[in-house]
Amino acid sequence: MNFRVISQGICLIFFLYLLFQAAFPLSSFFPADTFLRLDPLISLGTMISSRAWIWSLFPGFIILGLTLILGRFFCGYVCPMGTTIDLSDRLFKIRSGSKRLKNEQRASLLKLKFYVLFFILGAGILSISWVFSAAPLSLITRLYGLIIYPVLIFVTDIFLDLTMPFSMMLGLDFLTYAEPQVLRFATQWFIAAFFGSVMLLVYFSPRFWCRYLCPSGAMMALLGRKPLIRRHVSSECTHCGMCEKKCPMNAIQNDPFQTVYQECIVCQTCVRVCPEQAVNFKPGWKSDIIADRDFIPSRRRVIAAAAVGAGSAIIAHTGIAAVKNDLVPGNIMPHSLIRPPGAVLERDFQSRCVRCGLCMKACPTNTLQPVWLEAGLDGIFSPKMLPRRGPCEVMCNVCGHVCPTGAIRALSLEEKMWARVGTSYVIPYKCLAWEWDRECLVCYEVCPYAAIELKRVDSRSVPVPYVLPNKCSGCGACEYHCPVQAGSAIIVEPMEALRMNTGSYIETGRAIGMDLEADPDRQRRPPDYLFDPQGPGDLPPGFSF
Ligand code: SF4
Ligand code: SF4
């Protein structure tokens, strides 16, 4: 096993470990988003679209700096997307150098990744971020976090069920009672289909994605055209063609002495396969060892790609794409779009969020779900809260702490409590108490902030719920637990959501009259007088009009 494969294996295992650790409570020594911070496109693209210097994304620039010296080493040794694609190449038994594409086809396809890159940067200049659509670390985190991880947990759960009789027989109590939390996410079929296609593209060429489509690879290709550590071929070369045939990136074309460095991922396959041991990598500055032909598109085409990206941003800004999604003036946010607590202002949120899905993977109640099209095409895959699936836990602030870009602020537990995501309200015609005159206290009992008040009204023989808006954080416990079937009778909407890019939520919340306090007595019982049909309405005993 060579050094590259070992490095790839270690990086993939570390990446998966960090992804697994992105859970409540956070325990990893390394930040769960370490790999996302290394992706140069996430760093540059997000900073351009959000017009902010984001310190946590600085490592992406270190990778770019190292590319100047080492070439595209990141693709060959680190990137989990590249490693996953290599694994799928092996699965589909695609051999290096397989020639399903003709030379001319390959030459024009090699320029595609630059168009993707400049399309994204062009849109970013106008504050629309398409980074999520092609940044490899965003894509691969989404694949493992939102598809593969839930599938593995599901399979484990079934396995534990099937083996329960044996576990009991063997006295393995920890297995008998183990109940892994099975996460479920919307949009998973689309994500699976996307990756299925990426993996199937290896039919045309190994590492198809990396060669032809990856915009991060394109950035590194631009900077790695004349690396300091270069491939050298000595005079022992007999022109046998083995290096050209085996190079997984087609970085050696026709002449074994020349290297297309923009494509070379420093995998050193050519070193290993050379029967004369004529190839090595060492520092060098001579230009004659660089291929006379590279595949950088013309300036005109690059500008055209950026202009198309900017055009897509203009369409997104003017709302043309959102006509079908109700995003009309006065109703900028769809009522179902409840962002996680600590999410910055919506426009900045969209330009910062790279849709990696780490917050969704880490959310212990599974309330964070990927958005489909309700926020327009540019909002796809960003996280929203779905309280009917789970409430936002009072004791959890994990989403902000795993977010690589600061789209969700990393807040203390107390600050997060004041980061109101919306306000709940009762739908009287569905409520058991209001509509059916039936005794029901569930929302009152489960609200962790005591934001529900029960009152007696003349028209009902049972107490009915009212929401106290200044005490409601929008956590969704009421919506989640409401026993009404097919949609709760009390729902959270993003109205009155407190979203700030900087500053204290507690101070701002107090200043606008919020009165949040986590109720230690979560399973409250209402006072008995409320249930006394002869009782004095909504006034406490001893009081009268
Ligand atoms: S080309 Fe892109 S996906 Fe492939 S290894 Fe490089 S960064 Fe990763
Ligand atoms: S908000 Fe969630 S999906 Fe978006 S960048 Fe942050 S962690 Fe990733």
Side-chain angles (χ1 to χ4, degrees):
M1 203 182 288
N2 62 54
F3 173 68
R4 184 174 87 97
V5 175
I6 295 171
S7 164
Q8 281 188 304
I10 291 174
C11 287
L12 184 63
I13 290 169
F14 189 41
F15 166 77
L16 294 176
Y17 165 76
L18 292 178
L19 188 69
F20 184 74
Q21 292 288 308
F24 176 80
L26 265 187
S27 58
S28 176
F29 178 71
F30 283 93
D33 56 352
T34 300
F35 276 84
L36 286 151
R37 298 178 187 195
L38 296 177
D39 187 327
L41 181 64
I42 290 185
S43 301
L44 185 66
T46 307
M47 289 195 207
I48 290 177
S49 61
S50 63
R51 294 178 188 5
W53 175 259
I54 303 170
W55 274 106
S56 61
L57 298 182
F58 182 64
F61 294 111
I62 297 180
I63 295 293
L64 286 181
L66 289 174
T67 305
L68 285 170
I69 301 169
L70 301 171
R72 286 176 64 179
F73 78 100
F74 182 80
C75 305
Y77 292 78
V78 182
C79 179
M81 178 84 162
T83 307
T84 305
I85 291 172
D86 277 349
L87 289 174
S88 84
D89 282 2
R90 287 186 184 210
L91 193 70
F92 290 101
K93 296 198 171 30
I94 300 294
R95 284 193 309 272
S96 306
S98 48
K99 301 269 190 203
R100 288 194 177 87
L101 294 172
K102 296 197 184 83
N103 276 347
E104 321 78 71
Q105 288 174 320
R106 238 183 292 144
S108 47
L109 279 175
L110 280 172
K111 295 177 184 168
L112 251 182
K113 56 180 176 289
F114 298 103
Y115 302 140
V116 177
L117 170 65
F118 284 99
F119 172 86
I120 291 172
L121 296 182
I125 288 169
L126 294 186
S127 284
I128 291 290
S129 175
W130 295 119
V131 168
F132 70 90
S133 64
L137 264 302
S138 166
L139 292 173
I140 201 69
T141 309
R142 212 182 302 152
L143 171 72
Y144 280 109
L146 303 190
I147 304 275
I148 295 181
Y149 176 76
V151 167
L152 286 180
I153 296 291
F154 183 74
V155 171
T156 308
D157 195 32
I158 291 177
F159 178 78
L160 287 174
D161 279 353
L162 292 176
T163 55
M164 193 182 290
F166 301 106
S167 312
M168 287 168 79
M169 223 161 59
L170 298 170
L172 300 173
D173 288 351
F174 71 99
L175 285 181
T176 317
Y177 293 110
E179 204 174 328
Q181 190 208 4
V182 180
L183 301 175
R184 286 188 296 158
F185 295 104
T187 73
Q188 77 275 49
W189 283 112
F190 184 84
I191 299 173
F194 176 85
F195 276 95
S197 321
V198 168
M199 301 307 168
L200 288 175
L201 283 173
V202 301
Y203 173 79
F204 296 104
S205 128
R207 278 216 175 201
F208 188 99
W209 164 270
C210 306
R211 280 191 202 188
Y212 304 120
L213 295 173
C214 178
S216 294
M219 282 174 84
M220 291 182 271
L222 285 176
L223 288 177
R225 287 167 76 192
K226 294 181 180 176
L228 291 184
I229 310 290
R230 293 180 180 178
R231 177 176 170 271
H232 284 260
V233 183
S234 71
S235 52
E236 262 100 84
C237 169
T238 56
H239 289 255
C240 70
M242 198 55 115
C243 55
E244 184 198 339
K245 196 166 152 216
K246 293 288 180 186
C247 173
M249 298 293 284
N250 269 124
I252 307 159
Q253 302 192 343
N254 306 325
D255 179 357
F257 283 86
Q258 295 191 344
T259 312
V260 185
Y261 282 106
Q262 70 173 60
E263 298 306 314
C264 172
I265 57 170
V266 207
C267 65
Q268 306 209 20
T269 305
C270 49
V271 177
R272 282 189 299 279
V273 298
C274 176
E276 311 299 336
Q277 298 181 339
V279 186
N280 63 12
F281 277 74
K282 59 182 184 185
W285 289 268
K286 279 173 34 192
S287 59
D288 59 349
I289 51 173
I290 296 175
D292 48 13
R293 181 173 179 218
D294 65 11
F295 300 92
I296 308 291
S298 68
R299 197 177 306 163
R300 200 158 46 93
R301 291 194 173 194
V302 162
I303 292 171
V308 174
S312 77
I314 291 168
I315 290 175
H317 276 304
T318 53
I320 295 170
V323 168
K324 288 203 166 89
N325 297 309
D326 260 346
L327 295 177
V328 290
N331 180 21
I332 293 301
M333 284 243 301
H335 63 83
S336 59
L337 206 59
I338 308 164
R339 296 301 192 184
V344 293
L345 296 169
E346 182 63 16
R347 176 61 66 197
D348 296 320
F349 181 78
Q350 293 234 15
S351 62
R352 278 185 175 230
C353 175
V354 291
R355 328 289 155 90
C356 59
L358 217 47
C359 54
M360 302 176 235
K361 148 72 183 66
C363 176
T365 63
N366 205 197
T367 186
L368 292 187
Q369 294 288 320
V371 166
W372 187 226
L373 289 172
E374 62 256 50
L377 202 57
D378 46 323
I380 195 170
F381 297 135
S382 58
K384 69 170 181 182
M385 260 180 68
L386 202 60
R388 199 54 170 160
R389 182 155 284 184
C392 180
E393 264 302 323
V394 181
M395 295 308 293
C396 171
N397 57 359
V398 165
C399 53
H401 287 269
V402 298
C403 177
T405 61
I408 308 173
R409 289 173 61 189
L411 301 172
S412 68
L413 276 177
E414 206 190 348
E415 281 281 344
K416 176 249 164 181
M417 189 177 92
W418 286 77
R420 171 163 66 189
V421 297
T423 317
S424 65
Y425 67 92
V426 179
I427 305 174
Y429 72 86
K430 292 182 89 178
C431 174
L432 295 177
W434 275 105
E435 178 68 17
W436 305 93
D437 214 4
R438 280 166 54 186
E439 221 171 76
C440 178
L441 316 167
V442 174
C443 54
Y444 174 89
E445 285 181 337
V446 298
C447 176
Y449 301 99
I452 309 278
E453 195 178 33
L454 291 178
K455 288 188 188 178
R456 291 193 65 89
V457 293
D458 287 346
S459 56
R460 295 287 171 268
S461 65
V462 296
V464 291
Y466 280 85
V467 176
L468 302 171
N470 63 334
K471 283 178 162 288
C472 176
S473 80
C475 75
C478 51
E479 181 172 339
Y480 174 65
H481 290 284
C482 173
V484 171
Q485 297 294 307
S488 174
I490 179 164
I491 60 172
V492 182
E493 287 201 350
M495 60 187 173
E496 305 278 316
L498 190 54
R499 294 177 67 173
M500 309 186 331
N501 289 7
T502 53
S504 161
Y505 284 91
I506 301 177
E507 284 170 20
T508 312
R510 289 211 170 106
I512 61 173
M514 282 167 62
D515 180 21
L516 281 178
E517 198 177 336
D519 183 2
D521 180 19
R522 301 261 307 254
Q523 288 292 311
R524 295 188 298 157
R525 288 292 307 166
D528 286 341
Y529 68 83
L530 278 175
F531 290 88
D532 177 3
Q534 311 305 322
D538 58 355
L539 292 175
F543 288 78
S544 61
F545 289 107

